[in-house]
Amino acid sequence: QEFFLAQTPITQAQWRAVVLWQRQDHEEAELWPETLEPNPVAKLEDAERFLGDQRPVVNVSWNDAMAFCQRLRLRTGKNYTLPSEAQWEYACRAGTTTPFHFGETISSELANYNGTETYGDGPEGEHRRQTTDVGIFPPNAWGLHDMHGNVWEWCADHWYANYEGAPDDGRPWLDENAREDESRLLRGGSWDDRPRGCRSACRSGIRPGVRNSYIGFR
């Protein structure tokens, strides 16, 4: 089914704006997340490499990202949530079947990753060793930026090692019996990943409470 997806990863300015919202009378107190950090990037030891209003928010857990979505749902009445893994890859590919939505390979002029490593016939390039402002690299055919590199992006799904038994309708693949700390899906690769890790098909998983400089969301 049709769905909307943010054009870029959530920025630090967007994160801060939502986190600083005060609960309104019509929003149920027991459902309003109260524990979000307004400036999580500043908590990193090497924060200066990642700070910037238009840079992606990092150092946020899966739980943080879901709380952000919960605030948006309560404020707007719309169903904001993290994308499923299937939705994310569908949006990233934008109708392509190549390793990257750009084509068979990638360069550091097209995305932010460890450009000293190559993929296929691609050229060597720059390893910036930090995040970059969102939206400065070319978008895919559907207008989405930073689907390859910059930050890994949380998805709603639990981690599964393969697709055997996965939903075929785009829904998140959730395990009703999973522990609270069961790993969640990550997509997209980061500023420090080799190009192979930034492919449309590449996937990873990590515990939902993890926070670091490699992970954001959209």
Side-chain angles (χ1 to χ4, degrees):
Q1 296 183 1
E2 291 183 349
F3 61 96
F4 290 103
L5 188 68
Q7 283 185 293
T8 70
I10 298 301
T11 66
Q12 293 169 44
Q14 290 172 322
W15 171 268
R16 189 166 56 251
V18 172
V19 168
L20 293 177
W21 280 349
Q22 299 300 306
R23 184 177 63 83
Q24 298 179 351
D25 291 341
H26 68 277
E27 292 161 340
E28 299 178 57
E30 64 272 17
L31 298 179
W32 185 261
E34 296 284 4
T35 58
L36 294 174
E37 166 60 48
N39 195 0
V41 183
K43 301 293 184 181
L44 293 168
E45 288 186 6
D46 49 353
E48 66 279 357
R49 293 165 55 202
F50 307 101
L51 284 168
D53 281 354
Q54 296 308 308
R55 293 197 185 197
V57 67
V58 293
N59 206 31
V60 289
S61 68
W62 183 90
N63 298 314
D64 296 334
M66 291 297 286
F68 180 94
C69 293
Q70 174 75 346
R71 287 194 176 205
L72 287 169
R73 282 198 300 273
L74 291 170
R75 182 58 51 91
T76 66
K78 299 181 185 295
N79 186 31
Y80 283 89
T81 189
L82 293 174
S84 70
E85 181 182 19
Q87 288 174 328
W88 193 98
E89 184 171 333
Y90 177 78
C92 175
R93 288 187 177 280
T96 64
T97 58
T98 49
F100 307 92
H101 63 68
F102 304 113
E104 294 293 341
T105 190
I106 192 171
S107 78
S108 60
E109 295 181 357
L110 298 175
N112 182 25
Y113 64 98
N114 182 355
T116 64
E117 302 281 345
T118 61
Y119 186 89
D121 295 330
E124 287 189 17
E126 186 178 359
H127 186 191
R128 297 175 177 88
R129 302 183 186 277
Q130 59 186 328
T131 54
T132 52
D133 284 1
V134 303
I136 66 172
F137 296 104
N140 69 9
W142 294 349
L144 303 174
H145 295 264
D146 297 307
M147 300 299 286
H148 301 304
N150 217 5
V151 290
W152 283 100
E153 299 178 13
W154 289 113
C155 293
D157 309 55
H158 284 107
W159 164 257
Y160 290 87
N162 55 55
Y163 296 125
E164 294 177 10
D168 60 3
D169 59 1
R171 288 180 295 114
W173 193 5
L174 303 175
D175 182 354
E176 295 180 358
N177 300 313
R179 305 184 309 273
E180 285 190 8
D181 65 346
E182 200 76 30
S183 291
R184 297 284 180 165
L185 250 298
L186 293 168
R187 283 304 200 111
S190 80
W191 55 270
D192 198 37
D193 277 277
R194 299 174 179 179
R196 179 177 179 82
C198 301
R199 291 173 298 124
S200 298
C202 192
R203 55 202 302 272
S204 186
I206 201 168
R207 296 186 311 280
V210 169
R211 298 181 178 97
N212 60 39
S213 63
Y214 305 97
I215 301 175
F217 70 104
R218 75 170 71 212

